[in-house]
Amino acid sequence: MAVSDARISLPDSGTSTPQVDAASAAPAAGSGTRPMIEFNSITKRYLENQPAVENLSMTIDKGAITVFVGPSGCGKTTSLRMINRMVEPTSGTITVDGKDVSTIPAASLRRSMGYVMQSAGLLPHRTVTDNVATVLRLNKVPRAQARHRAEELLDVVGLSARMGKRYPSQLSGGQQQRVGVARALAADPPVLLMDEPFSAVDPVVRAELQQELLRLQRDLAKTIVFVTHDIDEATVLGDKVAVFATGGRLAQYAAAEEILRAPVDDFVANFVGRDRGFRHLAFSTADSVPIHPVRTATESERGQRSAQQSRPPSDAAGWVLAVDDAHRPLGWISPADGSALLPGGSLFHEGQTLRRALDAVLSSPAGLGVAVDDAGSVTGVVKAPEVLAAIENARRQREGGL
Amino acid sequence: MAWLVANFSEVLSLAGLHLYQSVVPLLISVLIAVPLAQLARMNKTLRGLLLSAGSILYTVPSLALFVILPVILGTRILDMANVMVALVIYAVALLLRSTLDALESVDDGIRQAAVAMGYKPFMRFLTVDLPLSVPVLFAGLRVVSVSNISLVSVGALLGIGSLGSLFTDGLKRDFVTEIVIGIIGTLLLALLMDAFLVLAQRLLTPWLRNDGGLTKATAESNSDDEPAVVSA
Ligand SMILES: Nc1ncnc2c1ncn2[C@@H]1O[C@H](COP(=O)(O)OP(=O)(O)OP(=O)(O)O)[C@@H](O)[C@H]1O
Ligand SMILES: [Mg+2]
């Protein structure tokens, strides 16, 4: 489903997906990356004999999004919180930018990292602006300057300055999470820690927030550690994905594409789920799928059409795509009932992935996936057999290329 | 009525004394109970100890305390300080429990968010925990305020001036009007204090005030911040 938010003039969040989820996976794992956070043999035991995290060693790349994913209770939050010392490890060391975190005073370490949590993270007794300004104020930035910066940040995360005067309880869940992100960014920290930041909002808002995080990340290039238990979210956001197994064992740590394509063991395979084959389509572009012309009708043309009901359909399928004056899709008109407008399926933005192409085809009542350009105008349709052929082609290339 | 008119300034100054003897201990007890409650929160043993001490102290009869305190404090029995010290003891005993509840009413997620942002413990307590516990804290304060105002009257038995003096004097002279005025005056004072506390709480918790704003905000958010879903 394509989501757009015109007010903050995103390029178009839907269109930008493939560049991120397809292209970023391989290069991130390449040699151009530098380590930012290192776990060295980290073990954490809350209780004597059950480790929450066991002998964890991993390197988190600078300027990339690393996702911790895994079932509930597997130690994701614990691992994340050891980075900013909200939890102290039982043994082992963590370094950030080469420095052992245990040597940095906890409060100043935390102020050098943004932290976003699932919910309840905003201070209910402070206005939105003051919430965003919190860390700046803790860093002794003068009030007026901190507020000014906070208002800029509200704009960055797509909230109007008017919202700044409200209290958190007066915002929707999605807006609160945006404020949470703005607050984490306020002091411009090099590291962002995010613990299931989008899991309490509905799927549409979640998808929108994910795209905006990717958009922000393109400009900011922070080192982001993102915790989720949603494998879809992990593969959309993660340059690299760390799959944790119960007991704090790191089961697989690789690019998202690789996790879906080649899970190392049954645990990972089960965790990424039955749909992993389908999800993996998000890593192949649909450039080879041909786009066919489609019959369209604007509102005025539709008026004429119903006036002369008896005109026979000119192409085989007989479906007509209703469009507005800017040639943006409105819905389908079935050959059987020429007057009703059937709601359309998801849109396939040109340049997007096979996953989007397949979904556009499957969700369309006409069996034709509507392709649109950056402006959202219809450019044609993609057809199911050709999408499937492209999928098979991509698979064969992968097998051959390995 | 005629009696009240004739003695109005006298009654007013007794009311003033009464208010003074109940408000000052209230303020002092808050200053004592809040840090004690926070200490109790941090240490399980201390918590049990303080809570039992509180309930035991509260059962000591007030008159007994008024009589014993001068011996302990070295003050004269007619000293107003006796009453006030006794009231502080009762108020702390009462407030400890409710302050503890108040501090525990703060959402742990919010507290953790404050920690994650880099608040040091003392700053966090002062600027996050304390303001957020105001609603529950004030519920406790309102109880203590009423309790204080009624206890101050007992001091009149020892001859310490307050609206209670109107009961003792009225009883001595078998003059009902004076007793009734004493009772009504005490009630009015209690109501006045309560109204003041309600007002103060409202002023201290502006974020809880906009019930109307909440619905408005939600309605607006639908129109300008939810994503537009484009599909065909
Ligand atoms: N403060 C604590 N005291 C004792 N045990 C704890 C504490 N915090 C976490 N644990 C235990 O450590 C293990 C890992 O917890 P953690 O919160 O890191 O899991 P998680 O992966 O974040 O789970 P979820 O997806 O449910 O958030 C769990 O078994 C949990 O019960
Ligand atoms: Mg967790």
Side-chain angles (χ1 to χ4, degrees), chain A residues 73 75-78 195-196 227:
Chain A
K76 304 180 296 290
T77 299
T78 301
D195 194 352
E196 305 196 26
V227 169

Side-chain angles (χ1 to χ4, degrees), chain A residues 46-47 52 70-79 196 227 229:
Chain A
Y46 291 103
L47 306 167
S72 188
C74 66
K76 304 180 296 290
T77 299
T78 301
S79 303
E196 305 196 26
V227 169
H229 50 237

